Amino acid sequence: MEKYDCHSATQDYPHPFTHEVKLTRAQRIRGIILGSILFPLRITLAALFFLIIWPLARLRLAGLSEEERARPVTGWRRWLFHPIILLLSRAVFFSLGFLWVKVKGRRADLKEAPVLVVAPHSGFLDMLVLCPTQLATVVSRSENTSLPVIGALLEFNQSVLVSRKDPESRKKAVTQLTERLTSNGYWPQMLMFPEGTTTNGRALIKFKPGAFLAGVPVQPVLLRYPNKLVSEFLPVYNPSQEEKNDPNLYADNVQKLMAKALGVPATDYVMEGRVPVSKLGGLSLPLESPARETLSLLHRNG
């Protein structure tokens, strides 16, 4: 087993919430030179595409009543606006440097797997996976609807919105999510990041049960960042009856499957509030506890 430094969460698993960037001198020089030229150019192009996307995304649901907005968009509103937003979305990521995305495997269709579960979740740019999945519907924080452009895209996507601070909102989101996943093809395919937060990708943290509550088949999707982004569709995972009855067991088994395919550990770490913890039964133990920090400090000072 590989040993890790003082930032390790345990002796067995790497800390999933700390990012360490190590660059050679040549890489730093190259970053400074190319960054000073490419960064403003890339940001300008991305901003331009976002400005085009903004009004077009709003037009998709313009003029519809609340009742009509609660149903999936069909007809001309879908065949006209969907490919345009998809193309512009890909153009945004192209301008940010994602020139080519290698995709392995076959994306399951809606009837095979109503939900795609994607991991690891490393940052905002992971949303590029929406392009090869044809802008699958997502789950997002309700607070994001107030953001420029992002709010319009969430409306366009007919996303399931949830407020982490409101328990009633979470209950409503679970009900809405279950209805969509069991709609037998009425609603489009959904895409979820079951880790529920971003990590450094060195380990998979415990999956939240949201994507598994309905007990429907899921398709695991792996994200890899070597020099190019690689998305990999694994075979559809059909849950056993025991897993259908226990969403947490279902989530844990899919987590282990994806971790094995990625070659990283599957851990029981979660993020509660803003604190990374490890679950032990009903207890939540901080990864970086005060006692551990105190012992490290005493050790460093002899």
Side-chain angles (χ1 to χ4, degrees), residues 180-195:
R180 291 193 182 192
L181 295 182
T182 56
S183 65
N184 196 30
Y186 180 66
W187 279 96
Q189 199 169 41
M190 295 203 69
L191 182 148
M192 300 179 69
F193 293 93
E195 291 178 291

Side-chain angles (χ1 to χ4, degrees), residues 50-262:
F50 270 134
L51 287 175
I52 299 173
I53 287 174
W54 198 346
L56 290 174
R58 292 292 189 193
L59 283 174
R60 192 188 197 199
L61 299 183
L64 296 182
S65 65
E66 287 298 321
E67 183 181 352
E68 290 172 320
R69 286 169 177 253
R71 299 195 295 264
V73 171
T74 57
W76 68 270
R77 290 178 182 269
R78 179 170 178 82
W79 63 254
L80 176 61
F81 290 108
H82 192 89
I84 294 174
I85 297 299
L86 176 59
L87 180 63
L88 289 171
S89 298
R90 184 64 187 93
V92 169
F93 287 103
F94 187 90
S95 66
L96 292 176
F98 293 92
L99 308 182
W100 179 253
V101 179
K102 186 176 181 180
V103 178
K104 295 182 179 180
R106 178 188 68 86
R107 179 173 69 96
D109 62 33
L110 176 59
K111 293 295 182 69
E112 292 178 284
V115 61
L116 307 170
V117 289
V118 184
H121 189 16
S122 304
F124 175 76
L125 292 176
D126 290 344
M127 299 309 294
L128 175 59
V129 76
L130 283 170
C131 295
T133 59
Q134 299 298 306
L135 301 183
T137 306
V138 300
V139 178
S140 178
R141 293 187 303 164
S142 57
E143 293 82 2
N144 290 338
T145 57
S146 61
L147 297 175
V149 185
I150 302 301
L153 287 172
L154 291 175
E155 180 184 283
F156 169 90
N157 187 258
Q158 293 187 286
S159 306
V160 174
L161 302 176
V162 58
S163 173
R164 296 180 179 179
K165 300 178 181 178
D166 183 4
E168 289 302 318
S169 173
R170 276 180 277 181
K171 290 180 182 178
K172 182 179 178 181
V174 168
T175 301
Q176 189 178 6
L177 184 62
T178 303
E179 289 176 354
R180 291 193 182 192
L181 295 182
T182 56
S183 65
N184 196 30
Y186 180 66
W187 279 96
Q189 199 169 41
M190 295 203 69
L191 182 148
M192 300 179 69
F193 293 93
E195 291 178 291
T197 189
T198 56
T199 70
N200 58 21
R202 294 172 64 192
L204 290 188
I205 63 174
K206 191 174 181 64
F207 283 5
K208 294 184 181 298
F212 309 94
L213 289 172
V216 297
V218 304
Q219 184 176 30
V221 181
L222 308 179
L223 279 183
R224 305 175 194 266
Y225 288 91
N227 294 322
K228 297 179 181 179
L229 178 70
V230 178
S231 297
E232 182 176 357
F233 293 96
L234 298 183
V236 172
Y237 188 102
N238 289 285
S240 65
Q241 189 58 50
E242 186 181 7
E243 290 170 323
K244 290 180 180 180
N245 297 335
D246 187 349
N248 288 301
L249 175 65
Y250 189 4
D252 288 345
N253 288 343
V254 173
Q255 179 208 24
K256 291 173 183 175
L257 173 74
M258 296 178 73
K260 182 178 180 181
L262 286 164

Side-chain angles (χ1 to χ4, degrees), residues 15-72:
H15 198 307
F17 300 111
T18 59
H19 291 262
E20 296 180 17
V21 180
K22 295 181 179 179
L23 299 175
T24 64
R25 179 176 294 181
Q27 288 173 323
R28 291 178 185 275
I29 295 173
R30 181 185 177 191
I32 292 171
I33 296 174
L34 293 181
S36 61
I37 300 171
L38 291 177
F39 181 76
L41 178 61
R42 292 191 188 283
I43 293 299
T44 301
L45 284 174
L48 176 62
F49 286 125
F50 270 134
L51 287 175
I52 299 173
I53 287 174
W54 198 346
L56 290 174
R58 292 292 189 193
L59 283 174
R60 192 188 197 199
L61 299 183
L64 296 182
S65 65
E66 287 298 321
E67 183 181 352
E68 290 172 320
R69 286 169 177 253
R71 299 195 295 264

